[in-house]
Amino acid sequence: METLFDRLVNGVIDGPDDLGGIGECLNILDELESQNGSAKPVQKKIEKVRLIFKRLILEESSDPDKDWRMVRDLLSSLQDPPGEEEEASSQTGAVDSGGGQQSLGEDDEEDFFASAVVDSGEDGGQSEPVASKGGSGQWDGESGELQDPELLKDFIEEAKEHLSTIEMNMLGLETNPSDTEAINAVFRPFHSIKGVAGFLNLFEIHELSHEVENLLDGARAGKLAVTDSMIDIVLVATDILKGLLEELERGGSGRREASPAVKGFLEKVKSFGRDPVVDAGIPMRRPVGEILVERGILDDKTVPEIAQKSKSGGKKFGEAVIDEGIASPREVSKALREQRHNIETAQSVRIDTRKLDNLVDMVGELVIAQSMVLQNPEIEKAKDQKLQKDCGQLNRITAEIQRITMSMRMVPIKNTFQKMIRLVRDLSKKSGKETQLLMNGEDTEIDRNMVEEIYEPLVHMIRNSVDHGIESPAQRVAAGKNPTGTIIISAEQKGGNIAIDIEDDGRGLDAKRIREKALERGIITEEDSLDDRAVLDLIFHPGFSTNDKVTEVSGRGVGMDVVKKCIERLRGKIEIANRFGQGASFQMKLPLTMAIIDGMIVRIGAERYIVPTIALKESLKVSREAYFTVQGKGELVKVRDSIMPLIRLHNYFREEPLHRDPWEGLLLVVIEGQNSYCLLADEIVGRQEVVIKSLGSLFEQLPGISGGAILGDGKIALIIDVKGIISLYEENSK
Amino acid sequence: MAYKDMTVLIVDDFVTMRRIVRKILRDLDFENIIEAEDGLAALEVLKTTKVDLVVSDWNMPRMTGLELLKEVRGSDKLKDMPFLMVTAEAQKENIVEAVKAKVSNYIVKPFTAATLEEKLAKIVPR
């Protein structure tokens, strides 16, 4: 304690400017307080010192030197014996002043408290404009470079990208409103957008993101609850921001004042925290028993029995089930969670899926038609403010319609997962194994067309897990494992994709045996040196099967090649994670919907092409030095430390490129299997979600092209099939 | 040391913001500018590269500016590194936390080259 005081008084701080010293001092004060929690006057003084320090740190002090003197006096008075302390404070009554501070006189005393009060009120408001005035005042001199159109363009791109993650995260919050990491993930983009908008003088965007940021900050701090209406507000704000960004993109200047529509919305956001929000009434609960029956944990007959027992024992149904040893606490808690979730789900209407598909198609056309109108040169030329505003409004509405329609096609993956329960049970019984199936994230939503498409691959993989992965109970016991094997299937939405994992705790994949088999089947040769990952990937080779026995369930060679093909047809990826002896996991990554892809639009010569973003690792420009050619290997590019082949897209599409030199053009880095490749295009035009259109049966087999899409200006762009291009390249270079 | 001989590390998850800060630093004659997209990436850079000044945003995924600051101050090699935290007006109050964690100074967005220079004068000996 003594030493702490010594350190405090003997000049830890150099002056009011010394933030490092102030920090040190604040830490010592914290320590002091924790040691000396009882003495009130000391605590009060510490509080006072903190207040002044805060003022100094935030540069809100009207007279730093005076504050500095006051702190010094307060600190040295802290060292006085506690007896005198008490006396001193009782003399001055409510106002607590230390012995040393009296030397400052009455005026100072009052002044101190006056400014302390102001500090939390008007003063904060006063100092703020001063700071920002300083900013904008000097801005003009530099605005030449900050109005850099390229910077603005990049900002629009980046902001849009971040806004799309907001939507995804918001939808996640809808199912789990208390997920702070998700709130943070939504908060961050608004925060960053606001920051940049401040630099670029984009008033409306700045204001709007600022208000939403405040709202989310409240949610982050637990002051505001994340309710449906809050989620709605954030989503609407996201749409408005997108509209504003698009306006900028079309050459708008970012008004100095908010438009009436934005103003109205701002008011709504500001008042949000103040108005009490009443949530809708409580709908009917589904009985836990019913949920457990559906999951195959209970059967219909035992439900009334347990209900009886729970009544007579004065216990809840779930507790009774656990007591009877029928279900684990984990299973019951999951059922309870589902029960809660169901309360939140709204009522539904059945709709013919063809109608739904038609609607989605027509909305796609609507969006395209709208873009055609808005990008019409006549409209773009128009200077009419009202027209501009109305266009923005139209844009926002169509975006919302599109979002709603797409969400109408989404169904939880739960039904598909639940079919697997039966499958695992049947397979285990036939093969004399004991297997339990656990599920995670079964509420994740996926396009209903996708649901049907992933059913087959899922069945294949579950079959493989039970048949090849999980050992017999005797083998498991011998390996020191629980005789019952476990398979976990989980689904999670990650951006515009869904990740489905199938994990088992069986024997895992045996890299050595896979290698032997591959040699035996002539898939690889002795000379091929493959790392473990490459060896594991061999199981995706057509006609590969390590299991010697032909079993009733798996058959021979119901290979992973079929699964991989199927997933690739869905524009997805599959990866293996293996712990030999401990189990294996297969990770599928699939787009949420087949109808739309997130694409990078690039220019090659006179045409635009779309590269699916899922295939892209990065896009970059390189220096002249990074490009070189090697005899027999053709053109290569060095990106950081890796060297990769250069594929000239214009050669494949017979375009006359703007740039023949790779350092002039744009390089798209893609990964296929173990290798990276650089695709050369001319430039990036933009990033956009596009509705995929089939090219018809005539062009179905066109190598390197997977479809077409109509862009905003009504022209068609072809979607590049990256995998196809790479195999064309590999064939040509052989 | 003259600004042009110093190596600055900009840490921000927003590419556009990094470019803005880079431009402003260039105006002050800084020539060696490295970027990192969050605290973790910044630590990687600091491990391998000699850096004379860190200009870091606060709110970033994976590792925040405050967490980065604490890592830097907790490292024997880096503990004296001049560290400038970039913050927004609304989050200014949090700076007290950063001061406790020994931030060298902070700057409020949006800022100008002049304001930045003023702050740098306080923390970087020239």
Side-chain angles (χ1 to χ4, degrees):
Chain A
M1 175 109 171
E2 280 302 311
T3 50
L4 277 180
F5 272 128
D6 288 347
R7 277 166 64 200
L8 256 188
V9 185
N10 296 331
V12 201
I13 321 175
D14 290 337
D17 251 2
D18 177 21
L19 287 190
I22 292 180
E24 172 85 32
C25 193
L26 281 170
N27 289 331
I28 297 176
L29 287 177
D30 284 351
E31 234 174 293
L32 259 182
E33 203 172 38
S34 66
Q35 288 177 4
N36 193 8
S38 54
K40 248 195 166 167
V42 175
Q43 249 178 32
K44 273 194 168 177
K45 268 179 212 170
I46 291 179
E47 239 359 271
K48 219 186 284 178
V49 174
R50 280 211 189 103
L51 209 64
I52 302 178
F53 273 157
K54 193 173 163 194
R55 205 149 77 197
L56 286 172
I57 292 171
L58 298 183
E59 296 178 342
E60 284 163 0
S61 167
S62 48
D63 187 350
D65 288 331
K66 195 163 109 191
D67 271 349
W68 172 235
R69 279 200 308 276
M70 209 139 44
V71 165
R72 258 194 345 222
D73 288 329
L74 276 166
L75 288 179
S76 58
S77 81
L78 271 176
Q79 225 181 1
D80 292 344
E84 274 173 52
E85 286 300 319
E86 225 86 71
E87 221 174 49
S89 63
S90 64
Q91 270 172 8
T92 43
V95 179
D96 168 50
S97 71
Q101 204 178 330
Q102 278 170 348
S103 64
L104 288 167
E106 284 291 306
D107 286 352
D108 287 319
E109 182 80 11
E110 260 169 38
D111 198 38
F112 166 69
F113 277 96
S115 58
V117 173
V118 171
D119 178 50
S120 55
E122 294 111 277
D123 194 37
Q126 255 173 25
S127 64
E128 213 168 303
V130 171
S132 51
K133 212 190 284 166
S136 53
Q138 284 161 17
W139 235 191
D140 300 335
E142 282 161 319
S143 55
E145 58 162 34
L146 274 171
Q147 275 164 10
D148 180 346
E150 201 169 316
L151 192 61
L152 190 65
K153 200 171 133 201
D154 290 351
F155 165 63
I156 293 170
E157 282 301 317
E158 195 181 15
K160 275 188 179 168
E161 209 172 289
H162 281 257
L163 284 175
S164 61
T165 70
I166 290 175
E167 276 170 4
M168 293 302 175
N169 282 311
M170 269 336 254
L171 297 180
L173 271 178
E174 218 152 2
T175 45
N176 183 11
S178 55
D179 183 351
T180 35
E181 192 31 57
I183 299 178
N184 225 337
V186 179
F187 172 85
R188 217 177 283 123
F190 280 109
H191 177 77
S192 301
I193 289 171
K194 185 194 84 173
V196 176
F199 276 102
L200 298 177
N201 275 324
L202 304 170
F203 179 77
E204 268 184 310
I205 294 176
H206 183 267
E207 282 301 287
L208 188 59
S209 40
H210 176 67
E211 287 308 330
V212 179
E213 187 193 347
N214 278 350
L215 193 71
L216 290 166
D217 203 31
R220 229 163 42 135
K223 283 184 219 146
L224 283 176
V226 180
T227 55
D228 283 354
S229 36
M230 182 195 231
I231 291 173
D232 283 346
I233 282 206
V234 174
L235 288 178
V236 174
T238 311
D239 289 342
I240 295 182
L241 273 179
K242 274 189 189 160
L244 291 172
L245 288 168
E246 273 158 24
E247 214 171 285
L248 269 183
E249 214 170 12
R250 288 197 302 270
S253 59
R255 280 176 288 275
R256 293 297 308 167
E257 203 181 308
S259 67
V262 174
K263 235 181 210 165
F265 182 73
L266 278 175
E267 280 311 312
K268 209 168 136 196
V269 180
K270 275 184 198 158
S271 66
F272 182 79
R274 298 199 294 265
D275 299 340
V277 184
V278 185
D279 273 323
I282 305 151
M284 282 283 291
R285 282 167 178 251
R286 259 175 90 207
V288 175
E290 196 183 311
I291 297 169
L292 287 170
V293 169
E294 195 174 272
R295 292 179 172 226
I297 294 160
L298 286 184
D299 58 50
D300 289 336
K301 277 169 252 160
T302 45
V303 173
E305 242 172 75
I306 294 167
Q308 191 59 41
K309 276 184 185 151
S310 81
K311 231 178 228 169
S312 58
K315 282 179 182 147
K316 288 191 174 151
F317 187 85
E319 288 169 359
V321 178
I322 297 169
D323 284 352
E324 291 292 308
I326 301 171
S328 67
R330 188 191 157 119
E331 285 163 336
V332 172
S333 83
K334 272 189 133 182
L336 284 170
R337 206 177 308 146
E338 176 168 345
Q339 187 188 37
R340 251 195 331 270
H341 181 77
N342 279 340
I343 291 169
E344 287 156 15
T345 352
Q347 291 185 324
S348 58
V349 175
R350 279 178 182 275
I351 299 177
D352 186 341
T353 52
R354 276 170 307 181
K355 284 187 185 169
L356 207 54
D357 288 354
N358 272 342
L359 179 65
V360 172
D361 269 351
M362 292 325 288
V363 169
E365 300 292 346
L366 172 71
V367 172
I368 292 160
Q370 177 202 260
S371 315
M372 281 198 273
V373 172
L374 294 187
Q375 290 181 12
N376 184 314
E378 290 299 319
I379 298 276
E380 284 191 321
K381 256 192 292 182
K383 291 267 181 331
D384 185 357
Q385 279 262 326
K386 180 153 182 348
L387 180 64
Q388 287 255 332
K389 206 184 77 196
D390 293 346
C391 287
Q393 179 75 357
L394 178 64
N395 227 335
R396 288 190 276 281
I397 294 170
T398 32
E400 182 68 4
I401 292 179
Q402 192 180 22
R403 198 180 66 81
I404 296 171
T405 350
M406 292 320 290
S407 75
M408 277 162 60
R409 286 227 304 208
M410 304 297 260
V411 292
I413 201 163
K414 190 193 290 167
N415 289 338
T416 315
F417 275 12
Q418 276 172 350
K419 286 181 193 157
M420 301 301 149
I421 299 177
R422 176 77 190 274
L423 180 72
V424 168
R425 198 177 287 163
D426 291 354
L427 289 171
S428 308
K429 215 175 247 172
K430 271 185 196 154
S431 53
K433 294 172 181 174
E434 289 170 35
T435 320
Q436 60 167 337
L437 181 71
L438 302 177
M439 297 182 289
N440 283 322
E442 57 274 53
D443 290 324
T444 311
E445 288 193 318
I446 183 168
D447 191 300
R448 59 169 307 282
N449 295 344
M450 288 292 285
V451 164
E452 282 150 29
E453 299 284 351
I454 61 167
Y455 177 75
E456 285 290 309
L458 262 183
V459 169
H460 274 318
M461 279 192 284
I462 297 271
R463 271 187 175 165
N464 275 330
S465 279
V466 179
D467 207 44
H468 306 312
I470 304 291
E471 314 90 322
S472 68
Q475 282 171 329
R476 290 183 64 85
V477 171
K481 294 180 183 175
N482 186 329
T484 306
T486 305
I487 296 175
I488 305 172
I489 43 177
S490 39
E492 190 189 351
Q493 188 179 335
K494 287 180 175 166
N497 295 307
I498 182 169
I500 300 174
D501 286 12
I502 297 163
E503 193 185 335
D504 67 59
D505 65 350
R507 54 172 76 90
L509 295 165
D510 185 347
K512 211 173 130 215
R513 256 186 75 208
I514 293 172
R515 204 189 144 85
E516 281 165 16
K517 280 280 164 192
L519 280 171
E520 204 180 295
R521 279 160 213 253
I523 298 170
I524 54 170
T525 60
E526 284 290 357
E527 286 83 46
D528 284 337
S529 74
L530 298 169
D531 61 13
D532 276 358
R533 178 155 296 278
V535 172
L536 293 183
D537 282 342
L538 289 172
I539 67 165
F540 294 122
H541 204 278
F544 187 93
S545 169
T546 52
N547 210 337
D548 305 312
K549 275 183 290 179
V550 178
T551 68
E552 190 190 334
V553 276
S554 285
R556 179 189 285 278
V558 171
M560 292 299 288
D561 58 324
V562 181
V563 171
K564 191 178 188 196
K565 270 206 195 97
C566 197
I567 290 168
E568 276 171 356
R569 205 181 55 234
L570 301 173
R571 284 187 289 276
K573 282 185 200 167
I574 181 163
E575 273 173 20
I576 313 169
N578 186 43
R579 287 161 298 151
F580 179 50
Q582 299 296 311
S585 94
F586 292 89
Q587 296 159 339
M588 290 193 269
K589 202 173 164 197
L590 296 158
L592 282 176
T593 162
M594 289 293 289
I596 287 184
I597 54 164
D598 189 16
M600 190 72 85
I601 304 171
V602 298
R603 188 183 303 284
I604 305 168
E607 292 293 334
R608 285 166 298 176
Y609 290 82
I610 297 164
V611 185
T613 325
I614 195 170
L616 268 185
K617 183 163 170 270
E618 58 178 331
S619 58
L620 44 89
K621 294 205 163 207
V622 292
S623 64
R624 182 187 293 253
E625 288 74 38
Y627 166 76
F628 52 96
T629 51
V630 169
Q631 188 70 46
K633 284 198 170 167
E635 298 176 281
L636 299 169
V637 176
K638 189 171 180 208
V639 176
R640 283 182 286 277
D641 289 331
S642 28
I643 291 170
M644 41 191 99
L646 178 80
I647 303 180
R648 290 174 180 272
L649 289 177
H650 56 88
N651 284 351
Y652 291 90
F653 301 120
R654 307 225 170 85
E655 296 279 4
E656 185 55 41
L658 301 175
H659 309 294
R660 287 205 170 268
D661 296 325
W663 55 89
E664 296 282 349
L666 175 86
L667 295 177
L668 306 164
V669 180
V670 294
I671 300 180
E672 174 60 34
Q674 304 300 309
N675 305 315
S676 297
Y677 300 83
C678 265
L679 309 182
L680 175 66
D682 284 330
E683 58 173 328
I684 288 189
V685 180
R687 187 176 168 177
Q688 189 182 325
E689 284 190 330
V690 293
V691 180
I692 301 165
K693 300 272 171 188
S694 150
L695 293 177
S697 51
L698 191 57
F699 298 112
E700 209 167 40
Q701 295 302 322
L702 214 56
I705 294 294
S706 62
I710 303 176
L711 296 180
D713 56 1
K715 298 236 172 68
I716 293 171
L718 295 174
I719 300 169
I720 293 179
D721 169 18
V722 171
K723 195 181 155 61
I725 291 283
I726 288 171
S727 38
L728 277 178
Y729 169 85
E730 291 291 3
E731 265 168 43
N732 288 350
S733 55
K734 258 173 203 166
Chain B
M1 205 187 322
Y3 284 163
K4 72 173 178 52
D5 300 322
M6 290 173 63
T7 305
V8 197
L9 174 63
I10 305 174
V11 194
D12 199 312
D13 57 322
F14 219 67
V15 182
T16 325
M17 186 56 87
R18 293 205 295 266
R19 285 185 48 194
I20 290 173
V21 177
R22 181 186 274 267
K23 278 186 174 222
I24 295 178
L25 285 168
R26 282 241 179 86
D27 280 350
L28 296 177
D29 290 339
F30 281 96
E31 285 175 6
N32 308 315
I33 303 170
I34 313 176
E35 295 179 12
E37 62 179 11
D38 60 24
L40 276 185
L43 277 185
E44 281 307 307
V45 173
L46 289 170
K47 258 183 220 161
T48 52
T49 317
K50 192 190 158 295
V51 171
D52 302 297
L53 167 69
V54 177
V55 179
S56 173
D57 186 32
W58 184 295
N59 204 311
M60 291 176 290
R62 298 206 302 165
M63 183 188 269
T64 65
L66 184 63
E67 284 160 353
L68 172 65
L69 172 66
K70 285 180 178 164
E71 288 286 331
V72 166
R73 291 295 180 246
S75 141
D76 278 342
K77 213 178 90 196
L78 304 170
K79 65 178 188 318
D80 296 321
M81 170 81 64
F83 195 114
L84 187 69
M85 189 79 83
V86 179
T87 181
E89 187 64 40
Q91 273 74 42
K92 222 170 104 181
E93 302 257 309
N94 296 338
I95 278 301
V96 177
E97 280 307 304
V99 167
K100 280 190 186 176
K102 305 285 167 56
V103 75
S104 310
N105 218 316
Y106 69 95
I107 190 161
V108 178
K109 309 184 259 208
F111 52 84
T112 61
T115 348
L116 181 61
E117 190 168 26
E118 208 176 285
K119 294 282 182 181
L120 289 180
K122 288 184 188 173
I123 62 171
V124 189
R126 262 189 114 168

